Amino acid sequence: MTTPEAHRAFPSGEHATPPPRRRLPRRVPRWSEIRPLVRFEQLDLLPARRRLRRAVTIDDLRDAARRRVPRGVFEFVDGGAESELTLRRAREAFDRLEFRPRALSGASTVDTSTTLFGRASASPLVLAPTGFCRLSHHEGERAVARAAASAGIPFALTTMGTVSIEDVAAVGGAGADRWFQVYVMRDRDLTTELVHRAKAAGYSALVVTVDTPVTGQRRRDVRNGFSVPPELTPRTLFDIGRHPSWWANLLTTEPLVFATIPAGEPKAHAQFIDNAFDPSVSFDDLEVLREAWDGPLIVKGVQTVTDARKAAEQGADAIVLSAHGGRQLDRCPVPLEVLPEVVAALGDRLDVLIDSGVRTGADVAAAVALGAKACLVGRPYLYGLMAGGEAGVDKAIGIFTDELRRTLHLLGAPSLDALDPSMVRLRR
C-alpha cells in the first residue's frame, strides 16, 4: 500500500529508480595467489594405502574390508548368532549415549593413558582375542601383535589363534603387553599346559572365557557354507577372480590351522571345538587356573552382578562384561546397560572391563565414565586387518585414539580420571 508520505515525495505515484548495478572490476590473478589453493591428491600406487587413507571411521574400514576379502570371510567376522538381536542391541546401546560436557574447564591438553594390572597403557583399549586372524590377512596375529605393541596397548591372543603362543611372543618387542585367552576345556591337563606355556612366553595376564560351553549358531556362516580353510567349490573358484590377492596370500603362505592346540587336520577343527569345550564347567573350575597362574586373572563373559560376585569370590582380578560380540547367546544382557550396576556393586573388589558394540573413541570415553577400566574391541581391528594388514590395524587403533582424545577435549576432561557418571547417561 502506498503511503501519503510516498505520494508527497513522488506526486506522480512513481517509485524511485534504483541506482545502476556497479560491475566489479576484473583482473588476472597472480600465481602467488593461486598456489596456496592448489592441492594435488596424494598418489598411492598400493591399493591398501588408498583404502586406509580414505578411512575416517571404523565403519569406513568395515566397508573397505567388505570389498577386500571373500564374502564368507567377511561375514564370519561381521556376523552374530541366530537372529543377531544381541549384535544390534549392543551397538544401539552406545548409540543412545548422551554426553554432558563441562564448559570452560580450562583443560589445554588431555591424557588418554591408563594403567592396567600394574602396566602402563597408552589408552583404555585392548585388542580382544579373536579366532582365525589369518583368515582376515595372511600375517594374522603377528600383524595384530606388532600394531598393539607399537601403539602401547595390550593384545590378547586366543587359544584358537592361527599363530602360536611362542610365535606371537616373538614379535612386538620385549615391552609389548600380551594377554592370553584360554577356555577351561574337558582336557584339564591341556588347559594347564597352555597356561604354563603362556607364562613361560612372558604373557602378563590370563583371560578365561566362560560364555562358550558350546559354540553359538552363526547363521550367516551356515548359509555361506563357511569352512576353515575355505574349500575350493564352484562358488569359491568364482570368488578367486574377484579377490585374487587374498587367495594368492592364503594359498602361498603357511597352512591355516590352529597353531597353539593339537586340532589335527583342518577339516577336524569343528569337531575338535565341539569336543574340546566343556559344558559342565563351573566357577569352582577357576581354581585350576588360579593355581596354575600367579598373574592377573580376568574372567570374560560375565553378564550379571551375581556372576561378577562369584568371579570375585574365586579370586578373579577383573571381569569383562561381554556378550561375546553377539556371537554366542542371542537376547543376552547388553554389557553397557549392565555396567553401572556391576560397578556399583563390585567396583571396589575387582576391575570391570567391557566389550561388545564398541566402535568409536567416544564409546570408550563413555564406558570409562560409567566405571569401566578399559574396553576390548575385536571386529574393529579385524576390519583394519582385512583392509590393509598391519597398517590397517594401526589405522583402527589410530581412529580410536584420535576420537578418544577429541572426546576428552570436548567433554572438558583433561584425563580419564576426570571422567565420571555425571558426564554421560543412557537415553531411553
Side-chain angles (χ1 to χ4, degrees):
M1 178 181 295
T2 304
T3 64
E5 289 79 5
H7 279 292
R8 284 194 294 272
F10 305 100
S12 63
E14 296 179 359
H15 295 286
T17 302
R21 295 179 62 182
R22 180 187 175 193
R23 294 183 178 276
L24 295 175
R26 299 285 181 172
R27 64 184 181 85
V28 177
R30 295 196 278 295
W31 170 244
S32 61
E33 297 171 320
I34 296 176
R35 184 172 55 192
L37 307 178
V38 175
R39 181 176 66 88
F40 294 100
E41 187 170 329
Q42 181 180 350
L43 179 62
D44 287 323
L45 298 179
L46 297 178
R49 288 183 181 175
R50 289 198 300 271
R51 288 191 294 268
L52 299 181
R53 182 169 54 83
R54 294 168 182 164
V56 179
T57 66
I58 297 299
D59 284 341
D60 291 339
L61 287 180
R62 179 178 180 270
D63 291 340
R66 186 198 297 273
R67 295 189 295 270
R68 175 70 178 81
V69 302
R71 174 178 175 177
V73 173
F74 175 79
E75 294 204 339
F76 169 72
V77 171
D78 195 59
E82 300 182 11
S83 299
E84 300 189 347
L85 291 173
T86 296
L87 177 64
R88 292 192 295 273
R89 288 173 180 173
R91 180 59 237 164
E92 289 167 358
F94 280 100
D95 288 339
R96 289 190 287 109
L97 285 170
E98 178 180 271
F99 285 118
R100 295 177 174 180
R102 293 174 179 168
L104 303 176
S105 66
S108 59
T109 60
V110 296
D111 181 7
T112 64
S113 66
T114 188
T115 301
L116 299 174
F117 310 111
R119 296 177 64 111
S121 179
S123 75
L125 190 72
V126 179
L127 302 191
T130 58
F132 299 115
C133 278
R134 289 192 57 238
L135 264 182
S136 296
H137 186 273
H138 61 281
E139 289 196 331
E141 290 87 350
R142 291 185 182 91
V144 180
R146 286 194 296 265
S150 178
I153 63 174
F155 164 55
L157 174 68
T158 177
T159 294
M160 302 302 173
T162 47
V163 177
S164 72
I165 294 172
E166 292 77 13
D167 287 345
V168 168
V171 302
D177 192 4
R178 291 175 288 266
W179 301 359
F180 181 65
Q181 178 271 334
V182 71
Y183 303 91
V184 180
M185 294 181 282
R186 295 177 190 269
D187 187 340
R188 298 296 196 269
D189 290 338
L190 174 59
T191 303
T192 55
E193 176 190 336
L194 295 175
V195 172
H196 291 152
R197 284 174 60 187
K199 183 177 180 179
Y203 287 70
S204 66
L206 186 69
V207 183
V208 54
T209 298
V210 298
D211 59 1
T212 315
V214 296
T215 54
Q217 185 196 52
R218 287 73 184 265
R219 293 176 183 170
R220 292 201 219 181
D221 296 347
V222 175
R223 290 168 180 143
N224 288 327
F226 176 80
S227 64
V228 178
E231 297 179 338
L232 294 178
T233 65
R235 177 188 292 182
T236 54
L237 289 174
F238 172 75
D239 194 74
I240 288 176
R242 299 180 59 211
H243 306 96
S245 61
W246 183 90
W247 281 98
N249 288 329
L250 174 72
L251 298 174
T252 60
T253 55
E254 57 190 313
L256 183 62
V257 297
F258 288 140
T260 289
I261 51 179
E265 295 300 317
K267 287 191 176 181
H269 286 173
Q271 182 179 357
F272 173 84
I273 292 173
D274 290 341
N275 292 335
F277 294 168
D278 187 354
S280 69
V281 171
S282 69
F283 276 96
D284 292 338
D285 291 300
L286 292 180
E287 293 180 10
V288 174
L289 299 176
R290 186 72 282 179
E291 292 174 2
W293 181 263
D294 58 2
L297 178 64
I298 306 164
V299 178
K300 180 177 179 292
V302 173
Q303 299 175 358
T304 66
V305 172
T306 299
D307 284 348
R309 186 171 287 111
K310 290 179 180 178
E313 292 169 352
Q314 291 297 327
D317 299 287
I319 58 170
V320 181
L321 295 176
S322 172
H324 210 105
R327 295 171 64 83
Q328 281 297 106
L329 176 66
D330 212 6
R331 299 181 177 85
C332 69
V334 174
L336 183 66
E337 296 176 349
V338 178
L339 174 62
E341 181 184 8
V342 173
V343 169
L346 292 155
D348 59 339
R349 296 181 60 183
L350 41 66
D351 287 336
V352 181
L353 292 78
I354 188 173
D355 71 13
S356 303
V358 181
R359 289 292 181 276
T360 71
D363 297 339
V364 176
V368 172
L370 292 173
K373 186 67 175 176
C375 293
L376 281 71
V377 296
R379 287 185 183 90
Y381 79 76
L382 289 178
Y383 295 145
L385 187 64
M386 286 187 277
E390 182 179 342
V393 182
D394 289 336
K395 181 73 174 186
I397 297 171
I399 288 172
F400 272 107
T401 302
D402 290 344
E403 291 173 340
L404 175 58
R405 184 177 294 112
R406 184 167 58 249
T407 301
L408 290 180
H409 269 298
L410 294 172
L411 283 175
S415 67
L416 299 177
D417 290 339
L419 296 171
D420 65 56
S422 70
M423 305 176 78
V424 63
R425 74 182 179 102
L426 275 169
R427 295 175 62 89
R428 296 298 175 186

